[in-house]
Amino acid sequence: MRALLLGWALVASIAAPAVATPDKAEVAATMKRATRFMVEKVATKGGYVWSYLPDMSRRWGEMEAFPTMIWVQPPGTATMGHLYLDAYHATGDAYYYEAAKKAADALIAIQQKSGGWHYFGDFAGEASTKRWYDTIGKNAWRLEEFQHYWGNATFDDAGTSEAMQFLLRLYVEKRDAKYLPALNKALNFVLESQYPVGGWPQRFPLKSEFSHHGKPDYTSFITFNDDVAGENIQFLLYAWQALGGDSRVRDAIVRAMNVTLVTQQAKPQAGWGLQYTLDLKPVGARTYEPTALVTHTTAANVKQLFHFYRLTGDKKYLARVPEALDWLESVKLPADQVKGGRAYPTFIEIGTNRPLYVHRRGSNVVNGEYYVDYNPANTITHYSSTRAIDVPGLRREYDRLIASDPQAIAKDSPLRAPQPLPRYFLVEEQATSDLNTEKGARSPEALVKSLNAAGWWPTELKATSNPYAGDGSPTPTPGDFSRIKVGDATDTSPYETDHPVVGISTGTYIENMKVLIGALRR
């Protein structure tokens, strides 16, 4: 889903032509003015969603939100907190540290008793949250994870992981004891929710009541989707580095790395699925995620195995990588079927190695359904049926690592030697070419000029949604909704509009601030 997140936000800001590179004082002043607007005009008790109409009459996270809600999924409240700490490190201005504290306070206010977070929090309380689920949530046809109110926390989409990492980073900044109880709750949440075999469920505490279209509730299954294991391992590594050598943390890291090994399937289908039952069999999740092996998940797990080898120097993590790469090559589409460089079908049938393709029919969540067959025509567009995977690149990296000295490659591992947390979390993600660009709508000079008088960067909000208009009809609305992201007028799923309005984007603010912070750090 992370690609969707940026789809809400990363639209070019309206900008005047670049004339001259601004001095650092201009850059700092622009950053401060934009941040004051977000903190003092946009935030809800210190928290944020993803986008807003200028009059605040509507707002969205991944879905439309009530005014009392804040979003946890990136680029939400924790992402903003990370950005503020990056800005604080770049400027030394305590205003940014205070803004980060406000974001942390908002996250702590919506942290669940278990220690984790949901996709969002609602300051109006549980009754308001249930009302949202009974209206907007349950009518989002393609976002099945929002159709049911479980009342527990989720590891999906890195929301809980990013919130945990941000609280850890904020605590380490000044060792303010105020943040330690929430941080310890979050750490215990990760440790308590981990299965003995090393994996994590998608949601915790465990639930099983949402049987959907005859499929079991998938939220208790061991989950690789959206890098659940990788995100949790990263948090645990940071906790290991920053909070001291807790043996529980190290044990959890090792078990989490090993679950990737034990869930790899046997040759000749030596790949991975999105989820697994507790007896380690691949299993489907949402109704458009069939029980299958999954090519992009396999590629992601191979990259994780490379990472685990660098952490440990143990070549057991490389031992079966060639089998996985051979399997990926075996399912590659013929050249005449490859479009846009996407040569690998997303879902592969277990046992036959045949591609599985997902379709839908109907017009809304009531009368609509997803189904799977072998026909590559007319597939859904909100979940890609094919993937672009650089298998030759993965082979080159494997060859390099298998020939390396294990002791040398792991000598700087955080599992072997204490390391400080990164000073910057978001700015380091920015490509050097972006940081140093002198032209274009996102150059420092253009961003200084394009911040409007109110203090925000005008952004076309290309993603929108139908307002809640009542539950869908059992009778399909005439029309073909099979390949678009939204159904009839009762479908509350987000979609890209041909008539975007200009509004306020949290994601645009974050991306523009990263450029300006980079300019200060030159």
Side-chain angles (χ1 to χ4, degrees):
M1 287 189 182
R2 286 192 172 186
L4 175 63
L5 310 188
L6 295 182
W8 282 85
L10 301 186
V11 183
S13 302
I14 299 172
V19 178
T21 302
D23 62 28
K24 291 187 175 182
E26 286 182 291
V27 170
T30 301
M31 289 170 53
K32 188 70 167 287
R33 195 156 65 89
T35 301
R36 282 192 182 280
F37 179 80
M38 296 301 290
V39 172
E40 298 167 19
K41 302 295 184 182
V42 175
T44 300
K45 296 187 178 182
Y48 304 85
V49 294
W50 295 358
S51 59
Y52 308 77
L53 292 185
D55 64 0
M56 299 291 172
S57 59
R58 294 185 76 190
R59 63 191 66 198
W60 294 265
E62 186 166 13
M63 292 185 60
E64 184 164 8
F66 288 168
T68 52
M69 287 178 174
I70 63 172
W71 226 255
V72 182
Q73 286 168 288
T77 302
T79 320
M80 291 289 279
H82 277 308
L83 188 281
Y84 293 145
L85 287 180
D86 282 6
Y88 175 57
H89 288 164
T91 65
D93 187 336
Y95 184 84
Y96 295 107
Y97 178 72
E98 293 301 315
K101 288 172 61 178
K102 289 182 173 73
D105 291 344
L107 288 170
I108 291 170
I110 64 169
Q111 185 180 23
Q112 298 194 358
K113 291 180 180 179
S114 64
W117 283 266
H118 183 47
Y119 297 109
F120 60 80
D122 191 339
F123 288 118
E126 188 173 37
S128 179
T129 299
K130 289 181 176 178
R131 185 167 66 254
W132 184 91
Y133 271 96
D134 287 340
T135 54
I136 295 172
K138 79 172 186 178
N139 283 288
W141 184 12
R142 68 177 178 83
L143 275 76
E144 295 175 7
E145 61 271 35
F146 289 106
Q147 293 173 9
H148 176 75
Y149 177 60
W150 284 275
N152 57 4
T154 182
F155 286 117
D156 191 31
D157 285 348
T160 285
S161 175
E162 187 175 51
M164 295 187 297
Q165 291 180 35
F166 167 56
L167 288 183
L168 174 62
R169 186 184 179 202
L170 184 66
Y171 169 70
V172 169
E173 185 71 33
K174 295 187 178 182
R175 298 283 168 175
D176 187 339
K178 171 184 176 181
Y179 299 105
L180 197 53
L183 179 58
N184 283 332
K185 276 178 62 177
L187 177 58
N188 286 332
F189 174 75
V190 177
L191 297 175
E192 291 170 5
S193 59
Q194 186 181 31
Y195 287 119
V197 73
W200 282 274
Q202 189 183 85
R203 304 190 68 97
F204 189 82
L206 300 177
K207 300 279 186 173
S208 61
E209 73 268 19
F210 187 50
S211 177
H212 195 48
H213 284 263
K215 300 182 71 171
D217 190 317
Y218 62 88
T219 58
S220 65
F221 297 148
I222 296 170
T223 302
F224 287 112
N225 190 28
D226 287 325
D227 200 22
V228 165
E231 292 283 355
N232 286 344
I233 289 169
Q234 185 61 70
F235 168 69
L236 291 171
L237 284 169
Y238 285 147
W240 173 259
Q241 294 167 223
L243 302 178
D246 186 333
S247 60
R248 298 180 306 155
V249 172
R250 187 181 180 92
D251 173 68
I253 293 170
V254 172
R255 286 188 290 118
M257 292 190 295
N258 287 342
V259 78
T260 306
L261 298 178
V262 300
T263 51
Q264 184 177 7
Q265 301 299 285
K267 291 196 299 184
Q269 289 191 295
W272 285 266
L274 291 172
Q275 284 84 210
Y276 287 80
T277 59
L278 295 187
D279 58 355
L280 304 184
K281 294 179 180 178
V283 63
R286 292 171 292 189
T287 61
Y288 45 83
E289 294 168 323
T291 296
L293 298 184
V294 183
T295 54
H296 66 280
T297 299
T298 295
N301 281 3
V302 166
K303 292 177 183 178
Q304 285 289 2
L305 291 173
F306 293 162
H307 177 49
F308 300 159
Y309 171 62
R310 296 186 193 100
L311 286 173
T312 64
D314 191 335
K315 288 192 175 179
K316 73 180 183 180
Y317 295 109
L318 303 179
R320 296 190 60 208
V321 165
E323 296 176 31
L325 300 181
D326 289 346
W327 175 70
L328 285 172
E329 287 289 10
S330 76
V331 300
K332 187 176 182 179
L333 292 170
D336 62 351
Q337 296 181 28
V338 176
K339 297 179 181 179
R342 294 174 170 268
Y344 298 86
T346 297
F347 298 112
I348 302 296
E349 189 172 49
I350 297 171
T352 69
N353 240 21
R354 295 180 67 183
L356 296 173
Y357 295 100
V358 184
H359 316 268
R360 75 177 186 180
R361 54 194 162 215
S363 69
N364 61 50
V365 72
V366 176
N367 62 58
E369 66 173 344
Y370 290 87
Y371 63 98
V372 177
D373 60 23
Y374 303 115
N375 184 1
N378 207 40
T379 57
I380 59 174
T381 57
H382 66 79
Y383 202 114
S384 180
S385 62
T386 54
R387 305 286 166 157
I389 300 172
D390 183 10
V391 174
L394 293 174
R395 285 197 188 277
R396 288 192 296 272
E397 182 65 3
Y398 167 78
D399 290 341
R400 188 184 72 81
L401 292 175
I402 200 67
S404 67
D405 177 2
Q407 292 302 314
I409 206 160
K411 66 182 178 65
D412 296 323
S413 165
L415 290 176
R416 295 192 177 188
Q419 298 176 6
L421 296 183
R423 186 162 175 79
Y424 294 90
F425 268 57
L426 299 186
V427 175
E428 294 295 341
E429 298 173 0
Q430 192 80 351
T432 302
S433 60
D434 287 340
L435 292 177
N436 295 321
T437 184
E438 298 298 338
K439 298 180 180 180
R442 292 187 58 244
S443 66
E445 59 268 28
L447 296 178
V448 167
K449 291 179 178 296
S450 62
L451 190 71
N452 69 15
W456 50 280
W457 282 288
T459 301
E460 284 190 342
L461 304 181
K462 294 201 171 185
T464 188
S465 63
N466 295 324
Y468 172 66
D471 292 347
S473 168
T475 303
T477 299
D480 182 3
F481 303 95
S482 62
R483 289 183 54 78
I484 58 176
K485 292 185 177 180
V486 67
D488 62 33
T490 65
D491 185 0
T492 55
S493 303
Y495 65 95
E496 292 184 3
T497 177
D498 294 330
H499 305 286
V501 298
V502 172
I504 301 159
S505 166
T506 303
T508 292
Y509 166 81
I510 290 167
E511 293 303 309
N512 290 352
M513 285 286 288
K514 285 162 63 175
V515 172
L516 295 178
I517 291 170
L520 287 185
R521 295 177 61 212
R522 290 180 183 174

